[in-house]
Amino acid sequence: MDWPSGGFIAGTTCGLAIGFFAAICDFRNIAGPVRQVKLDLSLNRSRLFPIWTFAFPIAISVGLNWTQFHSYRLFLEELSSLQYLGLFVSGYMVSAGLLGAFETTVQQIFYPLFYKEISESDKTQQAISWQKYSSLMIPVTLLVAGALVLLTDPLVHFMLDEKFWGVKYFVWIGCFIESCRIIGNVYNIGAHATKETKILVSAQAVGALIVLIGTPIAIKYGGTNHFPWVLILAGITYVGVLHNRVVDHLGRSLLWGQFKYFLAFVPFALLGWRASGFLDTKISTYTIYAVQFVIVSIGLSLSFLWLWKKELR
């Protein structure tokens, strides 16, 4: 193992270990001393049936989710080339990694609030809680995805080797597809809250089938340039079917008025997009990228503050 790869693994391991022990210490401070609690873990038919009806559809959905969002890697090399697969995954993983980190971080804020509200409530209150959660999470997801699209050039230059700088198209594709995945997870929570997880399977099955059937057809008749459109179509269809199933089940839809918080981001997005045209051409490319990053980050922060101040007070 050479030093760069070994150093990366060592640094990642140390960082995760530090975070783990810090979280354990913080959790012990919150939860207090460890106490012995007796739990009745005996199983019978009356207990197993609810567990089965809740967990089995989730297991199927997880498998179908992997098929929709990841299975293309198994056969894309044979249908196109290893070079194309490498370029596609390089660009896709830039947006997937950043949006995945965003999702994990925001869930740590919203999940405790959401589960606290539904822990001892009826279906009506659960539906209201999900409506509030989804109407916060989906606009924020779209805002972050939009910011990543605007910052594609800086991100590609900072995160990838020079030979991969031409993959920004795949970064855009990744932003869209990963947004669909995160939004799908938001709808999934609505089914989890009411323990009606069987409504998730049909939407996920449609998305998986589109990828499995559409990928070889698109590459055979349209070439690799048409392949990303299969993932986009699968993502849109998946979210659309899931939206209808969950909204019909809960009797509540999104609060579309929440999308007004995009307005705070629009002028900064336009300014960041056109920043290179306003700056002196003698300024280095990386300086221009830094200015774009600052402008877009300010707009994103103001949108977040406006949203959270109004809705999480």
Side-chain angles (χ1 to χ4, degrees):
M1 181 183 295
D2 59 5
W3 167 244
S5 59
F8 172 79
I9 294 174
T12 302
T13 304
C14 290
L16 292 173
I18 292 171
F20 171 75
F21 286 112
I24 288 293
C25 293
D26 191 45
F27 179 77
R28 288 178 64 89
N29 289 334
I30 295 173
V34 178
R35 292 175 294 177
Q36 295 293 332
V37 179
K38 278 194 171 184
L39 298 176
D40 182 8
L41 300 179
S42 60
L43 295 177
N44 52 49
R45 182 173 297 181
S46 62
R47 287 187 173 184
L48 283 175
F49 184 74
I51 295 173
W52 174 263
T53 56
F54 176 80
F56 186 63
I58 292 179
I60 296 176
S61 297
V62 169
L64 293 172
N65 183 276
W66 181 90
T67 302
Q68 176 179 342
F69 291 102
H70 301 287
S71 66
Y72 65 86
R73 304 180 191 184
L74 298 179
F75 46 82
L76 188 57
E77 177 187 353
E78 297 181 3
L79 294 173
S80 57
S81 66
L82 182 61
Q83 180 183 12
Y84 178 82
L85 176 61
L87 291 173
F88 180 81
V89 172
S90 297
Y92 186 98
M93 291 310 295
V94 170
S95 49
L98 293 172
L99 281 171
F102 151 78
E103 181 185 22
T104 301
T105 303
V106 175
Q107 282 176 347
Q108 294 181 48
I109 300 172
F110 289 159
Y111 269 19
L113 300 174
F114 175 72
Y115 282 109
K116 181 180 179 181
E117 289 188 359
I118 69 169
S119 59
E120 297 179 0
S121 59
D122 57 17
K123 183 178 177 180
T124 301
Q125 183 57 47
Q126 291 169 350
I128 294 173
S129 299
W130 174 81
Q131 184 184 46
K132 180 180 178 181
Y133 166 74
S134 61
S135 299
L136 289 169
M137 188 67 179
I138 291 177
V140 169
T141 299
L142 296 178
L143 280 171
V144 172
L148 293 182
V149 169
L150 291 170
L151 296 173
T152 298
D153 282 330
L155 291 173
V156 168
H157 279 72
F158 283 122
M159 299 180 68
L160 298 177
D161 189 81
E162 185 175 355
K163 58 188 174 185
F164 293 104
W165 286 356
V167 301
K168 64 179 183 180
Y169 169 68
F170 297 140
V171 177
W172 298 340
I173 297 296
C175 285
F176 187 90
I177 297 169
E178 284 298 298
S179 296
C180 290
R181 182 190 61 79
I182 294 173
I183 292 171
N185 288 340
V186 173
Y187 284 103
N188 290 343
I189 289 297
H192 294 172
T194 58
K195 301 181 177 61
E196 294 291 337
T197 54
K198 61 180 181 291
I199 66 175
L200 306 176
V201 176
S202 58
Q204 199 70 76
V206 171
L209 284 173
I210 291 175
V211 171
L212 289 176
I213 298 173
T215 297
I217 294 175
I219 293 176
K220 181 178 180 180
Y221 294 102
T224 53
N225 289 334
H226 288 70
F227 157 69
W229 292 102
V230 175
L231 299 182
I232 291 174
L233 176 62
I236 293 174
T237 306
Y238 162 61
V239 172
V241 174
L242 197 56
H243 171 83
N244 289 332
R245 294 301 307 275
V246 173
V247 168
D248 287 346
H249 171 65
L250 296 177
R252 297 252 173 190
S253 187
L254 300 177
L255 299 173
W256 297 104
Q258 304 291 71
F259 290 89
K260 65 179 179 289
Y261 299 106
F262 280 101
L263 297 176
F265 182 63
V266 170
F268 292 91
L270 294 174
L271 185 60
W273 179 46
R274 298 297 301 166
S276 59
F278 295 121
L279 297 175
D280 194 300
T281 54
K282 296 180 180 179
I283 298 176
S284 70
T285 301
Y286 286 100
T287 302
I288 295 174
Y289 287 160
V291 171
Q292 288 178 311
F293 181 81
V294 170
I295 292 172
V296 173
S297 298
I298 291 174
L300 200 59
S301 299
L302 290 176
S303 298
F304 282 1
L305 289 173
W306 187 17
L307 174 65
W308 291 354
K309 183 179 179 181
K310 295 292 185 181
E311 306 301 334
L312 293 181
R313 54 190 173 182

